[in-house]
Amino acid sequence: MTLDRRTLLAAAAATPLAATLPSGRARAQAANTLRIGVLNDQSGLYRDLSGPGSVQAVRQAIQDSGVTARGINVEVVQADHQNRPDVGSTVARQWLDRDGVDVIVDVPTSSVALAVNTVARERNKVFLNSGAATSDLTGSQCSPNTIHWTYDTWMLARGTGGAMVRAGGDTWFFLTADYAFGHALERDTAEFVRANGGRVLGQVRTPFPGNTDFSSFLIQAQASRAKVIGLANAGGDTINSIKQAAEFGLTRRGVKLAGLLVFITDVHSLGLQTAQGLVLTETFYWDLNDRTRALTQRLGNMPGGIRPSMVQAGCYSAVLHYLKAAADMGVAQAKASGADAVARMKAMPTDDDAFGPGSIRADGRKIHPAYLFEVKTPQESRGAWDYYKLLSTVPANEAFRPLADGNCAIAR
């Protein structure tokens, strides 16, 4: 494998701080130290919804867990996977094989997450995914070492896709990011469209990453005469798609845009004038209730002045629960077997300020409610980051794909 300069820098950034300690002290400390690696997009189109904010959320989870008061040391390392599976898997192997990392957290970009999922299982370490969406992580690619925490393509398809069809959007054309996430989101949404009596008139695969011009793809979508253009993309791709659709006047002609994965950071970048009326599904909103507001206040000033995204909230929640489980079973046992640590996490109910009470299924799917939101108009907003109004709540037992339908080998 040829590693470019950015890859080498990412690997260097992953080097644990303890490596500089004297060997005797390092060995003594390591016996009671848990090392968490936050692997995500620190510089590209997913930086705002993940990136440094996820690192900050992980550090807050460590503080809130109280494990340091019990004599448990927790260290955090971070690296940029550049949205490339080869970079992500290279960093993961270095962390797990050489640097003593016990758990990898976040990992947006489904193709990278699937690669890291394999590495974590091979090394018997813990993988807590918050940022990737593919429902295959709890389906055909499920693992006893992985928990899929925050959201997935089935949940998004059920929430936003199902709502759009019920509202009359019965013909669809998909703009799909050409990698594992986009394919999974298109697949899952198309199933809901057809199950509700709708039709898929076509789709086009858009290059990922690096594409910023969606004009030709939007023209193809418009030519199909579909009532709904499904945006099976995320982050900067979603922002650019919506902006360019507005420039072409598609929505003024009656075409509906279905942002199948829209984050609050995307709405902020678009502005309410452009984003108003978008219907979207999330599992966390900073202003949803007293607990989410309390967590947002504790997180303080997030990088870039943003409010936490559901991905960053998922990193907080996942690490908090992992640390509770590790403290309960003992650091030595948690470090010795990632599968055992995940099993202990599954055996314990979850409860935190991000998602409230929940649970973890046998297939590794974290269960909690999902929420269908509509983006407010500028006139409806009361101030900065007051962007969503709640349309409906999907109960936890309905929000995610039924266990029996996932074809997960470890859950049979």
Side-chain angles (χ1 to χ4, degrees), residues 35 53 114 232 243 371 396 403:
R35 188 162 295 146
L114 290 168
K243 284 182 177 178
Y371 307 96
L403 180 64

Side-chain angles (χ1 to χ4, degrees), residues 6-89:
R6 288 187 67 199
T7 303
L8 293 172
L9 289 174
T15 302
L17 299 178
T20 62
L21 296 171
S23 58
R25 180 184 171 193
R27 285 194 299 271
Q29 187 183 52
N32 206 40
T33 296
L34 294 167
R35 188 162 295 146
I36 298 171
V38 184
L39 181 59
N40 59 24
D41 181 355
Q42 297 274 326
S43 57
L45 73 168
Y46 299 153
R47 172 187 166 87
D48 287 347
L49 62 93
S50 175
S54 289
V55 179
Q56 185 164 325
V58 167
R59 295 190 184 281
Q60 186 63 49
I62 295 168
Q63 180 177 329
D64 289 355
S65 73
V67 296
T68 55
R70 300 173 62 176
I72 300 173
N73 303 310
V74 185
E75 298 176 352
V76 178
V77 296
Q78 59 185 292
D80 185 347
H81 62 42
Q82 304 169 31
N83 297 309
R84 290 172 48 186
D86 60 334
V87 175
S89 57

Side-chain angles (χ1 to χ4, degrees), residues 334-412:
K335 292 172 70 67
S337 172
D340 287 351
V342 167
R344 184 63 61 94
M345 293 175 72
K346 291 177 180 178
M348 300 169 61
T350 65
D351 191 8
D352 57 71
D353 286 347
F355 303 105
S359 61
I360 304 169
R361 286 193 321 210
D363 60 351
R365 176 67 261 166
K366 166 67 165 59
I367 301 299
H368 44 245
Y371 307 96
L372 188 68
F373 294 109
E374 182 178 329
V375 177
K376 292 182 175 181
T377 66
Q379 294 73 30
E380 290 172 320
S381 176
R382 297 166 297 177
W385 296 93
D386 177 31
Y387 293 159
Y388 292 170
K389 52 185 176 184
L390 180 64
L391 298 181
S392 62
T393 299
V394 183
N397 63 344
E398 300 177 12
F400 295 94
R401 180 178 58 201
L403 180 64
D405 294 347
N407 196 31
C408 170
I410 64 173
R412 293 172 184 168

Side-chain angles (χ1 to χ4, degrees), residues 13 35 73 89 100 107 141 148 171 178 195 206 213 235 265 315 369 372 379 399:
R35 188 162 295 146
N73 303 310
S89 57
V107 196
Q141 302 299 312
H148 199 182
T171 55
D178 194 12
T206 63
D213 185 0
T265 48
C315 290
L372 188 68
Q379 294 73 30

Side-chain angles (χ1 to χ4, degrees), residues 87-172:
V87 175
S89 57
T90 296
V91 173
R93 289 190 187 96
Q94 175 182 304
W95 274 353
L96 303 181
D97 292 345
R98 193 198 74 181
D99 296 341
V101 168
D102 302 295
V103 53
I104 296 177
V105 181
D106 199 3
V107 196
T109 310
S110 292
S111 54
V112 183
L114 290 168
V116 172
N117 181 60
T118 298
V119 174
R121 184 170 190 169
E122 291 172 349
R123 272 64 174 180
N124 193 20
K125 298 295 184 179
V126 176
F127 178 29
L128 304 177
N129 185 274
S130 181
T134 177
S135 58
D136 291 344
L137 283 170
T138 54
S140 61
Q141 302 299 312
C142 68
S143 163
N145 295 76
T146 296
I147 300 177
H148 199 182
W149 205 268
T150 306
Y151 69 107
D152 63 30
T153 51
W154 195 96
M155 181 215 81
L156 296 168
R158 184 204 187 283
T160 306
M164 295 292 284
V165 176
R166 289 191 296 273
D170 56 2
T171 55
W172 285 62

